[in-house]
Amino acid sequence: MIRKIFYAIQFFGFYLFQLLRSNIYLASITLSPKLNIKYGFIQVPLSLKSDFGLLLFSNLVSMTPGSLVTDIDSAKTMATIHVIYSTSEKEIYDEVQKMQNKIKHFTE
Amino acid sequence: MTTLITALLFLLGAFFILVSAIGLVRFPDLYTRMHATTKATSFGILLIILGTALYFNSNVVWIKSVLVIIFIYLTTPLASHSIAQTKKNHRKD
């Protein structure tokens, strides 16, 4: 129980940090004179079981730099994520998997 | 000192809302526009509400502002999600 509370507080700090980073990134993209962005869809397999975990996960993904959950299918196995990226798609994929592990620590 | 901090928070919040409006005009696609409106507006509103809570600095105002921030952050991604769903179901053949 105490471990879960610790992980929840850690997750809250992580969420605030991501919020700051994503807004600075978005402002830098929006105000750049050349708008050279690449965008597309990514399919990510879901490993979370509970509905509360899924709510937290989609909230976090929508607030991280350059990604937005657009669809979760009815069997809760795949999430479709729309991505604005400047580096590579694989990096964002790994980041999303890491987030799911963080949430799993204190919801299950 | 507190008035200076609140003024700074208000200016930053207004700046982020302006960024989201510029993004709404400049981005090419529906989904990319939703990026701008989802992230930047909620962050700007968060900063403005923090400024008001710092200015009045009473318990009631702090509690109310924290509740408003939590409510906004729970509902903004939902709105963007449902817009994406309607776009997906409304495809013209």
Side-chain angles (χ1 to χ4, degrees):
Chain A
M1 188 67 204
I2 291 172
R3 175 173 296 192
K4 279 189 182 182
I5 291 172
F6 170 73
Y7 275 123
I9 292 170
Q10 200 187 29
F11 173 79
F12 185 69
F14 177 73
Y15 186 93
L16 285 182
F17 172 69
Q18 289 288 47
L19 210 115
L20 269 171
R21 217 167 61 108
S22 79
N23 280 289
I24 290 166
Y25 175 74
L26 197 98
S28 72
I29 281 182
T30 312
L31 301 176
S32 65
K34 279 187 193 171
L35 202 72
N36 50 353
I37 50 171
K38 295 178 281 185
Y39 51 90
F41 287 102
I42 288 184
Q43 297 264 333
V44 175
L46 289 171
S47 57
L48 290 161
K49 298 276 190 299
S50 61
D51 283 349
F52 181 66
L54 278 177
L55 172 75
L56 281 180
F57 168 72
S58 54
N59 243 313
L60 179 65
V61 169
S62 295
M63 289 303 165
T64 45
S67 55
L68 204 143
V69 175
T70 56
D71 195 12
I72 292 176
D73 66 355
S74 53
K76 294 175 189 170
T77 51
M78 295 289 278
T80 315
I81 297 178
H82 186 267
V83 172
I84 295 178
Y85 57 98
S86 51
T87 51
S88 72
E89 290 187 25
K90 183 146 181 19
E91 224 170 275
I92 294 172
Y93 187 85
D94 293 342
E95 200 178 356
V96 168
Q97 296 291 21
K98 215 182 288 175
M99 283 171 201
Q100 290 199 44
N101 289 331
K102 265 185 202 287
I103 293 171
K104 222 186 246 184
H105 278 313
F106 69 91
T107 54
E108 291 169 17
Chain B
M1 193 62 203
T2 48
T3 48
L4 196 126
I5 294 173
T6 53
L8 201 82
L9 281 172
F10 280 174
L11 276 175
L12 273 174
F15 169 74
F16 277 112
I17 292 174
L18 177 72
V19 160
S20 92
I22 293 172
L24 188 63
V25 174
R26 283 191 73 190
F27 282 147
D29 190 11
L30 181 132
Y31 294 107
T32 42
R33 283 174 181 162
M34 240 155 39
H35 277 274
T37 52
T38 304
K39 294 183 183 72
T41 40
S42 45
F43 192 63
I45 290 172
L46 181 140
L47 288 178
I48 288 175
I49 290 173
L50 269 184
T52 50
L54 266 177
Y55 180 76
F56 289 107
N57 210 359
S58 69
N59 291 331
V60 179
V61 179
W62 272 108
I63 291 168
K64 279 182 187 174
S65 48
V66 166
L67 283 177
V68 168
I69 287 171
I70 288 172
F71 184 72
I72 283 172
Y73 268 87
L74 276 179
T75 49
T76 319
L78 274 177
S80 73
H81 189 104
S82 61
I83 290 173
Q85 287 268 315
T86 46
K87 159 89 173 167
K88 198 189 88 177
N89 298 333
H90 201 72
R91 200 170 286 154
K92 286 179 183 170
D93 295 326

